[in-house]
Amino acid sequence: MKYDLVCDLVFETDIGGWEFGKRLLSGVFSIPKLSPQRIATFGEVSKRNGSDVTLLDDCEEFWGRQATLSVGNSTTTIAEDFHWKRNGRLKSLGVVTFPDRNMRGERIPGGIFFQAQFGSGPDWLNLFRNWCAVSSSELGGLHVITGDAARISRAELGDEIQIQAWSRFLNGSFKCAFRIGDTNRLISGLTNIGWAMWFGDLYAHEVDERRISREGFPIEKIGNSYLVRVTDRIEDVVSDFNHFSNRRAKLKSLFREGLFMINEEPLA
C-alpha cells in the first residue's frame, strides 16, 4: 500500500535571498530520489509552466523572483511562490511561499509544504530538521498519512470543529484557520500532533522538556526551539498505528488542554 508523507512549516523569516534558497533546497537536491526535476514560479509545475532543472544552482535565478501586481490605482511587489516536482519511484512536490505584507500592512507568514510518496531510504527526519532550523520555523510538522481517515466518522467526531480540524490535518496542515456555524465564527490554532513536531520561538514555551523526556519521548532542543517525536521511527506510523496512536495520545496529554483542536484518537 502506498502512503503519502507530508511536511508543513510556517515561518516569518525573510528567506528571499539565494543564500537561504540554497540551504533550503540543498536537502532535496542531495537525495537522488527526491532531487527536483522541474520547477516553476507563480503557479504549480505543469507541462506548460516551469523549467527543467538538474543542479541546485539552476534554481538561483528563480528563487524569490519578484512580480508586480496592480490593485485598483496602486501596485505592489510580491515574491512569487517557488514550486518543484519530481516524478519517479518516489514522486514528490514542494512549494515555498515567502513572508509578505497585505494591503493593510499586516504580516503574512511564509511556509514550506512538501509531499512525497513515503518510502525507506531518505532521511526524512534530517530533511525536516534542517528546513525548520534554516527557516527559523515557528511551527512545523512531519507525518505519514495512513488510514486515519477511514477510521473517522462524523458520528465519532461529533462537532464541526473536529470535522474541519481532521480534514485540514489529513491534508497536511498542522496550523490552520476556518469559519464555522451560522455566526461564521473564526477558529484558528494547531490541528494535531504529527510523528515529528517543531515548536519554534512562538510555541517553545508550550513544551515541558523534562516532562516529555521523562515519559520516554525523543526530544531535541535546537537553539530556542524543540523537535519532539511521538516514536523513534517514522515507520511506526505505518507498521504499528495502534502503538503510534497510543503514544500520540500520551504525548498530547503532556501539553496544555486546548492547544490542539483534535482531542480524540481515531478508532484503531
Side-chain angles (χ1 to χ4, degrees):
M1 186 177 294
K2 295 180 180 180
Y3 300 102
D4 282 338
L5 173 137
V6 292
C7 171
D8 190 38
L9 284 69
V10 180
F11 52 81
E12 292 195 1
T13 309
D14 181 4
I15 60 167
W18 176 236
E19 65 274 14
F20 281 102
K22 194 169 187 177
R23 292 171 66 190
L24 285 171
L25 295 177
S26 62
V28 285
F29 271 96
S30 66
I31 303 172
K33 292 181 179 180
L34 301 179
S35 183
Q37 295 173 319
R38 191 168 174 82
I39 63 173
T41 61
F42 215 66
E44 296 180 359
V45 173
S46 67
K47 291 182 179 180
R48 294 185 176 183
N49 185 44
S51 302
D52 293 334
V53 294
T54 304
L55 305 174
L56 171 60
D57 287 340
D58 294 338
C59 302
E60 181 175 3
E61 65 177 292
F62 301 95
W63 184 263
R65 176 178 283 181
Q66 300 292 301
T68 300
L69 300 180
S70 297
V71 181
N73 295 323
S74 62
T75 60
T76 183
T77 301
I78 64 170
E80 298 177 354
D81 298 347
F82 182 92
H83 297 253
W84 76 88
K85 190 173 184 179
R86 178 178 180 83
N87 293 314
R89 186 175 180 182
L90 289 182
K91 294 182 180 180
S92 62
L93 59 86
V95 57
V96 176
T97 56
F98 297 86
D100 206 341
R101 292 188 182 277
N102 60 24
M103 299 298 289
R104 295 188 296 273
E106 299 167 334
R107 188 69 169 168
I108 302 173
I112 298 174
F113 180 80
F114 176 73
Q115 181 175 335
Q117 184 178 319
F118 178 67
S120 59
D123 189 339
W124 303 113
L125 177 61
N126 192 52
L127 180 65
F128 174 66
R129 181 192 290 114
N130 288 341
W131 276 348
C132 289
V134 170
S135 65
S136 298
S137 176
E138 65 182 45
L139 183 80
L142 176 70
H143 192 55
V144 182
I145 304 299
T146 60
D148 297 34
R151 299 181 174 95
I152 301 164
S153 73
R154 289 178 179 266
E156 292 161 6
L157 290 169
D159 65 63
E160 190 175 351
I161 293 177
Q162 293 294 291
I163 293 170
Q164 293 285 353
W166 269 112
S167 175
R168 301 305 197 278
F169 176 71
L170 294 174
N171 280 286
S173 294
F174 299 91
K175 182 178 181 180
C176 69
F178 50 82
R179 294 188 178 277
I180 64 166
D182 296 336
T183 61
N184 203 29
R185 180 162 60 104
L186 179 65
I187 302 294
S188 62
L190 310 188
T191 56
N192 202 7
I193 291 179
W195 173 76
M197 295 293 294
W198 176 276
F199 299 92
D201 286 345
L202 192 61
Y203 292 98
H205 69 279
E206 302 281 4
V207 178
D208 188 332
E209 182 180 8
R210 291 184 180 180
R211 189 181 183 195
I212 290 173
S213 179
R214 188 167 59 242
E215 293 294 338
F217 292 97
I219 182 170
E220 305 172 46
K221 186 172 185 181
I222 303 174
N224 295 321
S225 304
Y226 291 96
L227 176 59
V228 184
R229 285 175 282 155
V230 177
T231 66
D232 289 317
R233 302 168 59 252
I234 194 170
E235 289 80 8
D236 293 335
V237 183
V238 174
S239 63
D240 193 349
F241 185 81
N242 284 356
H243 171 66
F244 168 79
S245 181
N246 288 331
R247 290 299 286 168
R248 178 165 62 180
K250 177 61 179 178
L251 177 58
K252 198 178 298 185
S253 74
L254 305 179
F255 288 86
R256 66 173 172 84
E257 186 176 354
L259 178 61
F260 300 96
M261 296 180 190
I262 295 172
N263 48 41
E264 299 289 344
E265 282 295 309
L267 296 178

